[in-house]
């Protein structure tokens, strides 16, 4: 069965620990090359992961004729520049989230993609491909918990390492960009709508100048999302979906669940609570296969860039609200 040959830009941890091992097992994906600005890092990663080729520069990887698509896990500020360069080199691009530093920068990528209509571009929002979230989406769409009224998300972890890139403001650090993008994307997807206004409260770290704690309300008119994200709090993840006739809860790392055991959704319907068990899987591998299938079938990618830009607009509105203390309409600035 035909596979898409991927090259990986950098030896970033998310790539070498999560995405590459998953894509090496994919039905339609294989990783044939990896690059780093340090030839030694590229060589060591290639040997450790069993990747056939390595390159001592990103430019060399983009010039590799045996690479069909690029996976870009570079720092946030390098997502758009190197994704555009990949398109110009004739490569499809799977780019890590968040897609850009701003909605305006994201639109630059949209314009570049329009100039290369035969190439596919997708943001790597892996959670949307996980069976537990496909089931949650089904619960909402089929009315099994009634009309969705509210989504509540808590997502936190602890990291105060000064050398961690999440604490570099120039590179797009901060809790909102790193993990706040998940509840925003999730809510828009589940409600199948855009928030009319948002309200944000932001606590910045005085040492690093990035947001370490963010609370937000997304107003969808007849329904709401509330979420809290922090990168200096105890590790915790939980999502509640509240409908008019029932509720659902995803409590075991809903955004990065284990890949070696089933996931469980607790659902309350008709006064009874039941556990829905979903098969063990690797969401990164599924993501790679769905993207590869879009390339092979010349079909739309599962998550189009327009969706990614709208998430960026909500992020910007939350930041603006945090500064002004008022409700802000996404896309208004």
């Amino acid at each position: 069965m035909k596979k898409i040959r991927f090259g990986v830009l950098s030896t970033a941890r998310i790539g070498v620990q999560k995405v590459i091992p998953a894509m090496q097992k994919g039905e339609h994906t294989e990783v044939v090359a990896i690059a780093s600005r340090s030839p030694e890092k590229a060589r060591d990663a290639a040997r450790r992961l069993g990747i056939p080729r390595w390159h001592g520069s990103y430019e060399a990887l983009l010039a590799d004729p045996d690479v069909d698509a690029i996976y870009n896990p570079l720092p946030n500020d390098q997502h758009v520049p190197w994704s555009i360069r990949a398109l110009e080199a004739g490569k499809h691009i799977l780019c890590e989230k968040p897609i850009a530093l701003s909605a305006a920068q994201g639109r630059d990528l949209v314009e570049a993609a329009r100039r290369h209509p035969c190439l596919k571009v997708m943001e790597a929002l892996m959670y949307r491909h996980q069976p537990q979230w496909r089931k949650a989406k089904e619960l909402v769409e089929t009315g099994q918990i009634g009309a969705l009224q509210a989504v509540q998300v808590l997502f936190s972890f602890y990291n105060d390492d000064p050398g961690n890139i999440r604490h570099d403001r120039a590179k797009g650090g901060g809790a909102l960009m790193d993990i706040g993008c998940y509840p925003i994307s999730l809510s828009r997807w589940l409600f199948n709508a855009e928030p009319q206004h948002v309200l944000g409260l932001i606590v910045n770290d005085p040492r690093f100048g990035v947001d370490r704690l963010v609370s937000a309300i997304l107003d969808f008119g007849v329904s709401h999302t509330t979420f809290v994200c922090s990168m200096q709090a105890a590790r915790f993840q939980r999502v509640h979906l509240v409908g008019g006739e029932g509720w659902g809860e995803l409590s075991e790392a809903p955004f990065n669940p284990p890949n070696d055991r089933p996931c469980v959704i607790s659902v309350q319907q008709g006064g009874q609570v039941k556990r829905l068990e979903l098969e063990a899987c690797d969401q990164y591998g599924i993501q790679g296969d769905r993207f590869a299938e879009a390339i092979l079938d010349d079909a739309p990618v599962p998550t189009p860039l327009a969706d990614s830009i709208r998430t960026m607009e909500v992020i910007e509105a939350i930041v603006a609200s945090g500064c002004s203390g008022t409700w802000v309409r996404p896309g208004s600035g």
Side-chain angles (χ1 to χ4, degrees), residues 15 22 56 63 79 82 115 127 131 140 160 170 195 211 220-222 228 244 264 278 282 304 307 313 328-329 331:
H79 285 177
W82 280 101
R115 295 194 294 269
Y127 82 90
V140 171
D160 63 353
D211 52 286
F220 289 87
V222 297
V228 177
V264 174
L278 287 305
D282 193 321
D307 184 273
E313 289 177 342
V328 175
R329 179 182 294 275

Side-chain angles (χ1 to χ4, degrees), residues 247-263:
W247 52 259
E249 180 186 57
L250 293 87
S251 58
E252 186 178 8
F255 296 109
N256 48 14
N259 60 16
D260 58 353
R261 60 183 184 273
C263 294

Side-chain angles (χ1 to χ4, degrees), residues 76-85 99-100 105-106 108-109:
N76 295 343
D77 65 318
Q78 297 300 308
H79 285 177
V80 168
W82 280 101
S83 293
I84 290 176
R85 293 186 69 169
I99 197 64
Q105 189 188 46
D108 291 340
L109 180 56

Side-chain angles (χ1 to χ4, degrees), residues 13 119 178 211:
R13 185 167 59 179
L119 298 175
D178 189 45
D211 52 286

